[in-house]
Amino acid sequence: MADITHGQMPHAEPSAHEPGAGIPHPYHLLKPSPWPLIGAFSGGLLATGLVIFMHGGGKLLMILGVLSILVTMFGWWRSVIRESVVEHAHTPVVKIGLRYGMALFIASEVMFFAAFFWAFFHAALEPKVSPINPDAIWPPPNVHVIDAFDMPLMMTLTLLLSGVTVTWAHHAILEGHNRTAAKALGLTVLLGVLFSFFQVYEYVHASFKFTDGIFPSTFYMATGFHGFHVLVGTIFLAVCWFRTVKGHFTPESHFGFEAAAWYWHFVDVVWLFLFVSVYWWGGHGGVVAVH
């Protein structure tokens, strides 16, 4: 009131990240959080439960470990969302760090799939002589491979369509049309669920089991690991759909959605490699014989 009385306008409160506001830098210093400790404990619990389970026991311990991990994920990511939406702590500099983190995470996933593809191509290009494969041919004669242009083609079209809908959602967010973005994200989630349904159907009706040789083991490792990523990506996008409905994303601030979209496009690209190399080339075109 003193400023108004003397004919002066009151000073605006400085932004939390402007000099003189008590925070002389644009970085986000985290408050004390219990989630790193809880996450470490949960990871140890899960690892211990898995080891004991593989030796004939520890089922309850393994289940507790999985539940603890899920609680940690929910609580920790909820805190990150609160920091962004409520506290506005994700400054442009912080967002750069988040982008680097997501990019490095996807790069680490590329290394996982590189190992699985390496195993498949090594087995396909240098098939070994064995009692069930005396002529060292690929695919092995005891394996009735899945036709690439049957269910796998339908799965490919489903994932490619989901890539279109998630891009549609991104453009809608950039234009401030959250209702349209929510519709597009909902379609993307439904397509992800449909893909998972197709893959379960394929596994149930496959003529070979994981333990039937090198082809089934590498096939299930590569496609199954990708299927797990589809499940994670579907959950990721479902959370983004909920946040879009709540109005968390704006044209200027929506990295949570961008991270999910990057992950989903990565999943799409990996599937294209799987379709060409494992289903088509490895199942039909990649026949090699040792004379």
Side-chain angles (χ1 to χ4, degrees), residues 90-101:
H90 290 178
T91 64
V93 172
V94 172
K95 288 177 184 176
I96 291 174
L98 293 173
R99 283 182 167 82
Y100 276 127

Side-chain angles (χ1 to χ4, degrees), residues 152-195:
L153 179 60
M154 181 64 69
M155 296 160 71
T156 302
L157 296 175
T158 301
L159 268 191
L160 289 177
L161 181 57
S162 72
V164 173
T165 55
V166 78
T167 303
W168 175 25
H170 193 188
H171 282 283
I173 289 175
L174 289 174
E175 294 171 1
H177 301 154
N178 279 9
R179 274 189 153 185
T180 303
K183 291 177 183 178
L185 269 175
L187 286 174
T188 308
V189 171
L190 288 176
L191 289 168
V193 171
L194 187 62
F195 177 92

Side-chain angles (χ1 to χ4, degrees), residues 108-114 116 199 203 218-232 263 266-267 270 274:
S108 72
E109 297 295 286
V110 171
M111 296 301 105
F112 267 115
F113 282 104
F116 295 140
Q199 188 162 46
Y203 282 0
T218 52
F219 171 85
Y220 281 120
M221 281 301 296
T223 60
F225 197 64
H226 174 269
F228 172 73
H229 280 69
V230 170
L231 176 62
V232 172
Y263 188 85
F266 162 72
V267 168
V270 170
L274 285 171

Side-chain angles (χ1 to χ4, degrees), residues 25-68:
H25 57 76
Y27 300 99
H28 178 206
L29 299 182
L30 299 173
K31 298 175 183 177
S33 171
W35 296 118
L37 180 61
I38 295 174
F41 175 78
S42 301
L45 187 65
L46 177 60
T48 304
L50 283 171
V51 170
I52 299 176
F53 178 74
M54 292 174 189
H55 288 80
K59 185 176 181 179
L60 179 60
L61 197 63
M62 181 184 67
I63 293 173
L64 287 175
V66 171
L67 292 176
S68 300

Side-chain angles (χ1 to χ4, degrees), residues 28 30-31 33 35-36 72-91 94-95 98 236 239 243 248-249 253 255-256 259:
H28 178 206
L30 299 173
K31 298 175 183 177
S33 171
W35 296 118
T72 302
M73 292 165 63
F74 177 83
W76 202 334
W77 288 336
R78 183 173 179 270
S79 297
V80 174
I81 292 172
R82 179 178 177 80
E83 291 163 2
S84 172
V85 177
V86 179
E87 300 177 7
H88 301 289
H90 290 178
T91 64
V94 172
K95 288 177 184 176
L98 293 173
F236 201 170
V239 172
R243 294 187 63 193
H248 288 184
F249 298 132
S253 181
F255 176 71

